[in-house]
Amino acid sequence: MNGHFVVSLDYEKHWGVYDEKTVNQYRTNLENVDKVIARLLELSDKYKIKITFATVGLLFAKDKNDLSTYLPQKIPTYLNKELNPYPLIESIGIDEKDDPFHYAFSNIKKIKANENHEIGTHTFSHFSCHAHGQTVEQFDADLNSAINIAKPLELEMKSIVFPKNQINPDDTIDKPYLETCKKYGITSFRGKEKSFIYNIHSTKKYRNLFIFRALKPLDAYINLTGSNTYNLKKINKNSIIFNIPSSRFLRPYNKKLKYLEPLKLRRIKKAMTYAAKRKEVYHLWWHPHNFGAHMDKNFENLETIFKTYESLNKTYNFQSETMHSLTSKNIIN
């Protein structure tokens, strides 16, 4: 028995931020995503790190015609129309060369060819499970499209990261979404950190109060919520599919807060060490587009984290796993 280090990435390009930012408003981050992926593959190979790339299904399309063949039969009826990505499809380019912000077929092939990593799903359309107006039936149709568009690459979706982490396994409202995942052969998902500041249901009116919005970024630098490491046997006794909760969102380098960067890294490294010693799981996540600006600084920080893993691997046999490979191990069977 040993501890495990899990890294999952929300691979989404513009499909993950379309409701908040246009391509031009976020251009630097988005246009560097392909470079970020290339550097991630190189760095993870160097330190023998496995990554789960939870990928938006729309990114799998080779071109616009290909995309249109996989559109779900039922699209979400969000009351907030800005959450609906489907009107955007009309204005995107015809293929990856013409529009690198909405396609990623070539990079997905590179990730698969690496063979060390897992490609999971981030739903087909960056589906918002807690948004008012959508239904479980629409989520089912969305997930069906995500499964099918990956088949030409001979990929089977075994793990899911819910967009905006909109899932609460202890909420009866959310259980049908997990049951739908199980129906399609998905065996694991990334749950939220155990602290209450991360577990306020997305539909609660008070979740946007200043105190809750301030505590999350503060927790990245100061220990407010503990290590957020997990014994998966204990938290998965009655799970529909395996919950591999997040331990920490790796916040991107912030020039205005550059003097706090050592605190952020210290917080992560201490928690990783805690997990290795206690034979628990530490689950780190972020979005590739987070690294699109200040790329060198972000990768400098990431290499520091990976070096910590390398040391813990040698000292405590701390193991890197994808979400699926971890659920496949006997430790949680």
Side-chain angles (χ1 to χ4, degrees):
M1 179 73 72
N2 46 269
H4 293 89
F5 181 46
V6 178
V7 176
S8 62
L9 303 182
D10 299 15
Y11 188 21
E12 50 192 39
K13 291 196 171 183
H14 187 233
W15 296 116
V17 296
Y18 61 85
D19 57 324
E20 298 177 357
K21 300 174 183 177
T22 65
V23 167
N24 284 334
Q25 288 172 328
Y26 201 47
R27 180 170 289 273
T28 299
N29 290 73
L30 292 175
E31 66 186 3
N32 285 326
V33 168
D34 291 349
K35 295 177 182 177
V36 168
I37 295 296
R39 289 183 66 168
L40 278 169
L41 293 177
E42 182 181 359
L43 194 67
S44 61
D45 281 348
K46 180 179 178 180
Y47 291 97
K48 297 180 175 59
I49 302 287
K50 300 176 183 179
I51 298 174
T52 297
F53 290 85
T55 307
V56 166
L58 287 161
L59 292 177
F60 281 82
K62 297 177 184 177
D63 52 42
K64 206 166 185 177
N65 288 333
D66 189 39
L67 188 156
S68 66
T69 64
Y70 290 100
L71 294 178
Q73 293 183 352
K74 297 179 181 179
I75 63 172
T77 50
Y78 302 125
L79 298 185
N80 179 359
K81 303 302 181 184
E82 292 183 0
L83 294 177
N84 186 356
Y86 291 98
L88 181 63
I89 292 175
E90 185 177 348
S91 63
I92 68 173
I94 59 172
D95 57 24
E96 190 174 357
K97 184 177 180 181
D98 181 47
D99 182 352
F101 309 111
H102 298 99
Y103 299 90
F105 184 75
S106 63
N107 265 329
I108 294 171
K109 287 201 299 182
K110 289 177 184 176
I111 295 168
K112 180 178 185 268
N114 183 276
E115 296 186 344
N116 291 320
H117 309 297
E118 174 191 9
I119 298 174
T121 185
H122 200 34
T123 74
F124 182 76
S125 65
H126 204 257
F127 194 99
S128 296
C129 293
H130 286 174
H132 293 294
Q134 56 75 36
T135 67
V136 175
E137 291 74 23
Q138 291 164 0
F139 175 72
D140 187 304
D142 182 279
L143 203 54
N144 183 60
S145 289
I147 299 294
N148 287 329
I149 201 170
K151 285 182 178 179
L153 285 176
E154 298 181 341
L155 291 170
E156 294 184 13
M157 301 291 103
K158 292 297 183 181
S159 66
I160 184 170
V161 170
F162 288 87
K164 302 180 182 179
N165 293 311
Q166 290 186 351
I167 194 70
N168 186 339
D170 298 321
D171 195 322
T172 56
I173 296 174
D174 286 353
K175 285 184 179 179
Y177 295 87
L178 293 173
E179 289 168 350
T180 301
C181 292
K182 185 176 182 179
K183 166 186 168 183
Y184 284 105
I186 292 171
T187 57
S188 66
F189 73 101
R190 187 183 72 208
K192 300 176 185 178
E193 294 93 321
K194 53 194 170 187
S195 170
F196 79 98
I197 67 173
Y198 298 100
N199 273 284
I200 302 167
H201 199 286
S202 304
T203 58
K204 300 294 184 183
K205 292 182 179 179
Y206 57 82
R207 72 182 179 90
N208 284 323
L209 290 177
F210 174 78
I211 184 64
F212 294 114
R213 288 190 288 112
L215 286 175
K216 288 183 182 180
L218 188 62
D219 188 39
Y221 303 97
I222 301 171
N223 188 352
L224 299 180
T225 64
S227 63
N228 288 307
T229 63
Y230 304 93
N231 180 315
L232 291 184
K233 281 186 177 180
K234 291 183 178 179
I235 65 173
N236 280 289
K237 289 181 179 179
N238 300 304
S239 296
I240 296 171
I241 60 176
F242 289 118
N243 181 8
I244 308 175
S246 164
S247 299
R248 179 67 45 208
F249 169 59
L250 177 56
R251 292 187 173 274
Y253 176 84
N254 187 327
K255 191 174 182 179
K256 294 179 180 178
L257 300 175
K258 62 182 179 180
Y259 296 110
L260 297 180
E261 290 295 300
L263 293 179
K264 179 178 74 178
L265 292 175
R266 180 174 178 269
R267 177 113 167 78
I268 291 171
K269 291 189 292 182
K270 284 190 69 174
M272 289 174 66
T273 303
Y274 183 85
K277 289 181 176 180
R278 292 174 59 90
K279 300 177 181 177
E280 294 186 339
V281 169
Y282 186 82
H283 190 165
L284 189 69
W285 73 278
W286 69 96
H287 313 84
H289 59 68
N290 294 143
F291 279 20
H294 307 294
M295 199 184 309
D296 289 340
K297 287 291 185 181
N298 281 310
F299 273 97
E300 182 181 314
N301 285 345
L302 185 61
E303 186 158 20
T304 297
I305 293 168
F306 282 6
K307 284 180 179 178
T308 298
Y309 163 76
E310 185 178 53
S311 174
L312 294 173
N313 172 259
K314 292 176 181 177
T315 306
Y316 300 103
N317 199 28
F318 199 41
Q319 295 288 316
S320 172
E321 297 289 351
T322 66
M323 290 174 63
H324 177 56
S325 68
L326 185 57
T327 60
S328 298
K329 283 182 171 287
N330 290 328
I331 58 166
I332 53 176
N333 287 341

